[in-house]
Amino acid sequence: AQSVTQPDIHITVSEGASLELRCNYSYGATPYLFWYVQSPGQGLQLLLKYFSGDTLVQGIKGFEAEFKRSQSSFNLRKPSVHWSDAAEYFCAVGEGKLTFGTGTRLTIIP
Amino acid sequence: DAGVIQSPRHEVTEMGQEVTLRCKPISGHNSLFWYRQTMMRGLELLIYFNNNVPIDDSGMPEDRFSAKMPNASFSTLKIQPSEPRDSAVYFCASTTGWRGVSYNEQFFGPGTRLTVL
C-alpha cells in the first residue's frame, strides 16, 4: 500500500530564510510524487511533480524538490521564503489515485 | 477557464438531514475525484470517476454516502442521513486520465465546508 509521511506538523521560518519540508513515501513501484500547497480557505494547487528523469525538479513560485530513491524522500525546498508562502503544504504519491501526507503548516515570521 | 466549481461553499445542517454537494469539473477533464479533509484524518480520497463511471469507491465511509456522475460536467456527493462526524471540508478535483490513472495535475475546487449539528 502506498503511504506518505510528513514528519513536521508545523514549521516557522523568518522571511528571507531558506526552507526545507520533509516528505517520505512508501510505494511499490516507481513513485509518482507531487507537492501541493493549500492557502487558507482554498483548494490545493500543484507546486511540482516528479515522474522520472532528473531527480531535482523545479516548480512554481520558486520551489524545487529532490527525489532520493535511497532515502524514499521527496523534500521540498525554497532558498528564500516570502510572507506569501505561508500556507499548508502536502506531499502526495500515486498515479491518479493519490495518497496525501498529513501536511506541514508553514508560518512566516516578518 | 473557470476551474473546478463546487457548490455550496458552506453548508450547515442538522443531524439526520440529507446533504447534497455538487461539482462541475473543468471542461475536457475525464477524471473526477471527491476528497474529504478533516483535522483528525487529513485529506482522504472518497471516490473517483473516469468517463463518468465510478472506478474506486473504497474510500466511501459507509452506505450513508453516495456519489453520482450523470454526465461529464456534473457530479454529486450525497450524505443521507448526515451525522456530526461528517463535518469536514469536501473537495472535488478533476484531471485527464484513464480509469483513474493519471500523471497530470489534479485541479481542485475551493471545497464545501460542511457542518452537521
Side-chain angles (χ1 to χ4, degrees), chain B residues 9-78:
Chain B
R9 291 295 308 275
H10 301 273
E11 177 80 37
V12 179
T13 190
E14 294 188 346
M15 183 174 62
Q17 296 298 306
E18 177 180 296
V19 175
T20 299
L21 312 181
R22 294 175 288 277
C23 175
K24 177 179 171 57
I26 292 174
S27 177
H29 285 184
N30 65 344
S31 297
L32 183 140
F33 303 80
W34 282 101
Y35 294 90
R36 178 173 67 176
Q37 186 177 39
T38 62
M39 290 292 293
M40 292 297 295
R41 301 176 66 90
L43 198 63
E44 304 172 278
L45 177 65
L46 300 178
I47 184 172
Y48 65 91
F49 295 83
N50 181 251
N51 293 329
N52 313 335
V53 176
I55 302 300
D56 186 340
D57 64 356
S58 60
M60 295 286 263
E62 49 199 272
D63 292 345
R64 297 185 297 106
F65 285 68
S66 63
K68 295 182 179 180
M69 193 164 186
N71 56 62
S73 59
F74 184 65
S75 178
T76 59
L77 178 67
K78 184 178 295 186

Side-chain angles (χ1 to χ4, degrees), chain A residues 36 38 49 51 95-97, chain B residues 37 56 100-103 106:
Chain A
Y36 281 84
Q38 183 181 29
K49 61 186 179 183
F51 294 150
E95 302 171 62
K97 181 179 178 179
Chain B
Q37 186 177 39
D56 186 340
V101 177
S102 172
Y103 312 120
Q106 289 188 21

Side-chain angles (χ1 to χ4, degrees), chain B residues 72 75 92 108 110 112:
Chain B
S75 178
C92 175
F108 282 74
T112 295

